[in-house]
Amino acid sequence: QVQLVESGGGLVQAGGSLRLSCAASGRTFSRYAAGWLRQPPGKEREFVATISWSGDTTYYADSVKGRFTISRDNAKNTVYLQMNSLKPEDTAVYYCAAGTNPIWGNADRTTYDYWGQGTQVTVSS
C-alpha cells in the first residue's frame, strides 16, 4: 500500500511560481511511476506530467511543457512539481498519483494505483 499526501498549493498571481510536493508512505514507492494530474473547476481531470520510477524519464502535457518540471527524490519518498510562469488557466485541484505501469498522458483514474487527496492551486490574473 502507498499513501500519498500533497502539499504546497495556494494562491499566486499570474506569472508566479509554486512548488507542489507529494509525500509517499511505504517502502516500495521507488518502484512506482508517479504523476501529477489536475481538475480545473467545472472541467474533467487532465494529465499534467509523469515521471518514471527512476526519475530518468519524464513526460508533460503540451499545456505545461517548458513551464512545469516534475522530479522525485526516492530517498525521501517524495515527488515534486515545480510550476513557473503560472497562468489563470492553471487553476485547478492538483493530484499526485502513483502506479506500476501507468499509461503516460492518460488521466483516467484507473491509470494509477494510488491517488492523493489533492491540493488547490489558484492563479489570479
Side-chain angles (χ1 to χ4, degrees):
Q1 284 285 344
V2 175
Q3 292 186 329
L4 305 172
V5 178
E6 303 97 335
S7 62
L11 174 64
V12 63
Q13 288 189 333
S17 299
L18 282 175
R19 188 176 82 154
L20 304 182
S21 298
C22 174
S25 63
R27 295 177 295 172
T28 61
F29 177 68
S30 60
R31 300 179 184 177
Y32 293 91
W36 286 96
L37 302 97
R38 67 187 182 186
Q39 187 161 16
K43 297 183 179 180
E44 293 187 352
R45 184 170 51 245
E46 59 188 40
F47 166 77
V48 176
T50 299
I51 189 167
S52 62
W53 67 269
S54 65
D56 290 345
T57 306
T58 57
Y59 182 69
Y60 297 91
D62 287 342
S63 59
V64 307
K65 201 173 296 182
R67 300 188 298 122
F68 290 11
T69 302
I70 188 171
S71 62
R72 68 189 297 164
D73 185 340
N74 285 338
K76 295 182 178 180
N77 276 2
T78 304
V79 177
Y80 304 97
L81 185 68
Q82 178 66 44
M83 305 186 295
N84 298 329
S85 302
L86 283 161
K87 305 175 181 180
E89 51 263 44
D90 294 318
T91 295
V93 177
Y94 282 71
Y95 298 93
C96 174
T100 53
N101 190 25
I103 301 172
W104 289 42
N106 191 296
D108 190 271
R109 190 162 187 87
T110 60
T111 288
Y112 292 90
D113 301 305
Y114 304 101
W115 290 78
Q117 293 300 307
T119 185
Q120 176 70 47
V121 171
T122 303
V123 184
S124 63
S125 57

